Amino acid sequence: MKTTGWRSLILYIIGAGFLAGIIFFICSYFIQGGSWAIRPSNAHITNNGQLTYSGEITDRDNNLLSYSEDGVQQYNDNALIRRATLHVVGDPNGYISTGAQYAFRTQLSGFNPITGVVSPLGNSITGSNIQLTISSDVSAAALQALNGKKGAVAVYNYKTGEVLCMVSSPTFDPLNIPSDIETNSAYEGVYLNNALSSTYTPGSIFKVITAAAAIETIPDLDSRTFYCSGSTIINGETITCDGVHGNVNFQNGLAQSCNIVFAELAVELGKDTMTKYAEQLGCNTNFYLDGNPNKMSSYNVEEADENSLAWSAIGQYTDTVNPYHMMILMGAIANGGTPVNPYIIQSVTNSIGLQTKTGKTTYGDNMLQQSTAEELQQLMRYTVSNYYGDSMFPGLQVAAKTGTAEIGENKIPTGWIVGYSEREDLPLAFAVVVEEGNYGRNSAGVVANAVLQKAAALYT
Amino acid sequence: MFSSQVFESALSITMFVLRILVPLLSTIVLVRCFVSLKRGRRKEEPVVLLEDLASGLSIPVLYWENSIGRSKSCDIVLPDSTCSRDHAVLYRRASGWIITDTNSKAGTYVNDKKIKEATQIIPGDVITMGTSRFALRRVSEGTVIQQKKKIKQPKISNKKAPSPAGLLGLTNVIHLLLTIQCCFAGGQFNALPFIPFALLLAMSWGLYLISRKLLGRVSFEIETFGFLLSGVGIMLLCAEDFSLIYVQMGSMLLGLCLFGFLIWFMGDLKRVMKARLWIAIAAIVLFAVNLVIGTETNGSKNWINLGFISIQPSEFIKIAFIFVGASTLDKLQTAKNLWGFLGFTAVCLGALMLMKDFGTACIFFITFIIIAFMRSGSIRTILLVLSGSALGVFLILRFKPYIAERFKAWRHVWEYADTTGYQQTKVLMYAASGGLFGVGLGNGYLKDIFAGDSDLVFGMLCEEMGLVMGVVVVVAIAMLILFARNDATRSRSTFYSISACAAAGLLLFQTCLNVFGATDVLPLTGVTLPFISLGGSSMMAVWGLLAFIKASDERTYAVRRKSK
Ligand SMILES: [Zn+2]
């Protein structure tokens, strides 16, 4: 019987398995319970997929953007603001999954791990209020400047990480949902936040990435002279340039956006170096905004020949980039190589007035050596001051690069501008993309100026 | 208008307080039950002695069944090279002390006569094994008096021994608190839940009086434990739909009868050991019948529809399985191989596989491992069986990939929320909605999901009574392994020890499959949660399994002997 005694210890193996499992479950409950409970199908808290009661969403100036009452979503009084902030706030049906109403529904619903989704008092629970970092006025200015064109505007403070503006077009008024929203091609992709969840062919803005690779890899870059006759043959096929730049050095090659300069650099750098730098600068990587992932920028030259490699270095070939990623890249350059991670939740305040979460400045992975970042700063500033002209951004000291991305025969190119303001009191990095915008300078550039001017007027 | 609001808030707060009290009181009952069981345990003192006639030294005989031999693992070790490693077994039955030779080379002699079968011996008899000679001696005046003292002793020394009636009363209070919650389920007062409460009250005190007064049994911990959990399950079902409790409570009553019958049946180990073959045959026949006329429900063909009622034979075969597997020490020492039991296990697992009831097959398999290990103690055998079955599982998944398909949602349930992960996501969603103290009995929504009150009942328990109560319930079931281990060396036979450990392990493993399957810690296999899930067969079988644990408590049969 003695042996029976010690052999019965085998039960402890099952007991240990049980304990491990139950502890794992309890821990998961405290970590993820909120996201388990707050689902559109949870009958305790939702009514037709919307939170029955939810906290308020406000912007950085305490303008009320949205709240929910008896299962009906309420919004700001101003139709322009409703449309400009739609993709950040969310739509009444919860289709925009990155919208705050949906993405932060755990906080808004007032779930807490002690009482779950019910109140011991028996009355309906009231959720936490969320203050966002965005400015509804700047957002409205951005939407107006887009002037009905599809596209995206993303602006953030590269020193603190606060996202000041994130506007996506097409958009709609959540209080007057258009009846033809599902059929009208003007509303195609309306449920995507283009700044976060779309990618576009980059065109010449990609030259910033190629330039970073060249600066760090080719020692005598600044003393070189390139020759542009308007086109060149690489691997039997033509690479064309928008102009005939003649003898041109690297600095003016970027400023005048000469394709020949960057095509030749790409061939010299090779696939591996190009891929290494594209990835180091954030391609093929996800970036997050308070837990929401972006759509990855993509750079893939695995199957490219030399000609295609050359096109990839000037933002064509199969390259696609995400505006949110471009904004962060600009922040990294402005910051000397390491970006500040953007955030959009300024604070979460629960129903008894306690702040349960506040936005904090955190740093991302280093992208560039400090010297490279500084050279890029100088190059991009030179591009604006000597080539576009500071009259494009009066009083803003902007460093930037535009792009005009070809997207196919008989299609109007996509206009881009990425950059940042050097002003100490206006540390904003931005990325603007305008579909069918044609020249980036005339389309996206104008939008960027309007947005920055509004921000400068309101917050400096 | 205002006063009705105040009333509603007051009611809501009261219900919340009740929901905090229930797990608290349940914990007290469980802990006290365990303490009581621990204190009721006999101290490790010898009952009789073996006096070595050569040296005059006395060897204490500590257990009800004692192996004697040269091997270090024997209870009585003989440092005598002429003895076999496992020479004989000395054990005690209602009739007195018995010795049996376990195929030793030199043989065992009582009063210089070689014994051929189990032989009764009395104090003063001389036992010869090899060159060793012993005389059986009493420790003092009489074993019966000695033993009575030992049971009483700890009760006097401990200041506050938990009283069985007090604990049962507290259990009734817990049920009453649940009944009150149940009455207010859905916002309207409804007195119907007092019917199951009254029935629970009657059953518990009925069993108490029969057990304590009629049969003179000392202990009542296991029964209290069973009533506490069954009552929680019944109240949960009562709040869902009153009509569910007819079958559930009827089954519980039958379960209590089964409990009583099995304890009586196991009172005579000779009878049990003889019946084992017939039990095995009956189990196989029942499986065969199930496979032929069974009906398929939710992918598993594990039901027999008798017209007025459906039963799940595999639940009862669990009990048979333990009967077939467990054995007394003298039988263990003579028939060491596991082939018979292994064959029986293979038939059971095969039948369950054919029924596509993989959850129950896992339960049988783990129970087999426990019994096999407790019988043989051979880690090598266990590893061999485990690697063999791992290979089997690999081959099954290789050639029948659709089985793996059933489990592909595991750890990815939210990606399969509309298909194979549907049930688990609902469990997580609604269990989390309840928080630590639940949304209140009858206020949940998981009960509307398919199998919400059976396979997914842990989620329902958490949603309506709170995570704390859910954890208390499953930890309570886990405590059964402590109950079983407590008596592992004190029971009247290895049969009781092995069967109690097997039953406790089975219930705990089944609990793991149910709880972790529903919450996506493990793949969902669809087994019931003991005591709580809706299901007559399950409820009866659980009480039947409790009988094994009850029987391993030596006090269960102690006083009955005295009264004879
Ligand atoms: Zn050129």
Side-chain angles (χ1 to χ4, degrees), chain A residues 1-2 8 42 44 114 120, chain B residues 12 65 75 433 435-436 463 485:
Chain A
M1 293 224 56
K2 192 173 67 183
S8 68
N42 188 336
H44 285 294
I114 308 298
Chain B
S12 178
E65 291 183 338
D75 298 310
S433 297
L436 294 187
E463 184 189 19
R485 278 218 68 238

Side-chain angles (χ1 to χ4, degrees), chain A residues 227-231 240-246 248 253 256-261:
Chain A
Y227 181 74
C228 168
S229 65
S231 71
T240 52
C241 186
D242 283 345
V244 180
H245 298 105
V248 63
Q256 298 173 14
S257 204
C258 178
N259 286 351
I260 307 303
V261 173

Side-chain angles (χ1 to χ4, degrees), chain B residues 198-225:
Chain B
L199 289 174
L200 275 172
L201 199 69
M203 277 196 227
S204 56
W205 287 98
L207 186 68
Y208 181 84
L209 291 176
I210 292 171
S211 173
R212 299 264 298 177
K213 304 295 173 206
L214 208 67
L215 301 174
R217 286 183 196 146
V218 186
S219 58
F220 203 68
E221 297 92 355
I222 302 291
E223 292 89 334
T224 306
F225 171 91

Side-chain angles (χ1 to χ4, degrees), chain B residues 295-527:
Chain B
T295 44
E296 190 162 325
T297 311
N298 195 24
S300 298
K301 191 179 179 178
N302 53 4
W303 290 90
I304 294 180
N305 195 338
L306 296 179
F308 60 99
I309 198 162
S310 290
I311 62 162
Q312 214 172 349
S314 58
E315 291 291 341
F316 300 103
I317 296 172
K318 285 175 187 165
I319 297 171
F321 189 77
I322 293 177
F323 265 116
V324 174
S327 181
T328 54
L329 187 58
D330 51 318
K331 294 282 189 299
L332 285 184
Q333 298 289 64
T334 46
K336 291 205 166 184
N337 70 64
L338 287 164
W339 290 112
F341 185 43
L342 197 64
F344 179 65
T345 307
V347 171
C348 290
L349 291 184
L352 288 164
M353 287 294 181
L354 287 176
M355 294 177 196
K356 300 200 194 94
D357 190 352
F358 303 111
T360 311
C362 287
I363 293 170
F364 274 72
F365 181 71
I366 292 295
T367 312
F368 168 76
I369 295 285
I370 295 170
I371 293 176
F373 183 71
M374 288 196 68
R375 281 175 58 160
S376 70
S378 158
I379 292 170
R380 227 185 55 201
T381 309
I382 303 303
L383 289 180
L384 209 67
V385 169
L386 280 178
S387 45
S389 46
L391 183 74
V393 169
F394 173 78
L395 288 177
I396 289 172
L397 295 183
R398 183 79 209 285
F399 293 108
K400 304 217 157 147
Y402 65 89
I403 293 175
E405 199 74 351
R406 268 173 62 160
F407 302 122
K408 73 169 186 240
W410 179 44
R411 303 305 299 154
H412 299 278
V413 286
W414 297 105
E415 293 155 37
Y416 296 94
D418 295 325
T419 55
T420 45
Y422 179 78
Q423 290 176 304
Q424 297 93 312
T425 55
K426 294 292 181 223
V427 166
L428 292 176
M429 184 171 84
Y430 285 124
S433 297
L436 294 187
F437 303 106
V439 298
L441 275 178
N443 298 340
Y445 289 100
L446 191 62
K447 58 180 182 230
D448 303 330
I449 306 293
F450 178 75
D453 50 17
S454 54
D455 298 351
L456 312 181
V457 76
F458 179 71
M460 196 169 145
L461 189 67
C462 287
E463 184 189 19
E464 301 197 358
M465 297 196 197
L467 180 68
V468 173
M469 188 59 190
V471 170
V472 166
V473 166
V474 297
V475 167
I477 297 172
M479 274 173 71
L480 283 176
I481 66 171
L482 302 180
F483 286 24
R485 278 218 68 238
N486 185 52
D487 291 320
T489 58
R490 295 297 189 282
S491 74
R492 289 170 177 256
S493 167
T494 53
F495 175 86
Y496 299 124
S497 307
I498 294 173
S499 58
C501 288
L506 186 155
L507 288 171
L508 177 57
F509 185 72
Q510 183 173 339
T511 303
C512 287
L513 282 190
N514 174 282
V515 171
F516 301 145
T519 54
D520 196 33
V521 178
L522 292 177
L524 182 65
T525 44
V527 299

